[in-house]
Amino acid sequence: MIKVAMTGVYVDDVARAHAFYTDVLGFETRTRTDLGDGVLFVTVGAPDGAQPDLQLLLEPGQGPIAESYRRALYEAGIPCIVFSVDDLAAEHRRLRGLGVRFPHGPREQGPVLAAVFDDTCGNLVQLVQPKG
């Protein structure tokens, strides 16, 4: 069986993204290694043992491919990744209370309720909650 072990998100500053994804979103640090010359290898994941075999790599987003990709997604309003939540309204309130900017708040989107926020590191991120 093949399973997803890690996926990445290009960010404009790995250290700042690490702080946002842990301190604001609530992920836990799985790996934080200094590779030298100011380069960090950082992965985060769901806290409290949820999804223990799935990690999110916060990848340096410098370089023509990553920068063009991030900019094109952002300008088109397309989230780079989707996270699920149990209570979208509560999570939206919590994150707004922490100063997170939402280009669009909770609304119905097909089979889910969805909202999109800015991760402060060059990306839009979508939160979804299944309807019903």
Side-chain angles (χ1 to χ4, degrees):
M1 169 192 345
I2 297 175
K3 299 186 315 181
V4 176
M6 184 182 299
T7 190
V9 171
Y10 290 118
V11 296
D12 56 17
D13 182 307
V14 173
R16 190 172 79 240
H18 183 219
F20 180 83
Y21 279 73
T22 55
D23 298 344
V24 176
L25 297 185
F27 286 100
E28 67 182 17
T29 301
R30 299 279 177 84
T31 307
R32 187 178 193 286
T33 304
D34 187 336
L35 301 176
D37 295 327
V39 177
L40 294 174
F41 181 86
V42 176
T43 67
V44 297
D48 303 325
Q51 298 179 301
D53 58 346
L54 181 57
Q55 298 181 73
L56 178 63
L57 173 62
L58 303 175
E59 296 193 66
Q62 291 72 29
I65 294 171
E67 289 174 4
S68 296
Y69 173 75
R70 281 188 315 120
R71 184 173 43 259
L73 285 177
Y74 196 93
E75 289 173 358
I78 299 171
C80 70
I81 195 163
V82 179
F83 298 134
S84 66
V85 296
D86 294 329
D87 185 340
L88 181 60
E91 195 63 28
H92 178 253
R93 279 191 304 275
R94 182 185 81 80
L95 292 174
R96 284 199 51 178
L98 294 171
V100 175
R101 186 180 74 78
F102 280 79
H104 88 67
R107 62 183 175 202
E108 290 191 21
Q109 189 172 319
V112 299
L113 300 174
V116 174
F117 67 86
D118 185 314
D119 77 351
T120 73
C121 302
N123 301 296
L124 296 175
V125 175
Q126 187 172 47
L127 296 177
V128 298
Q129 173 191 337
K131 289 194 296 191

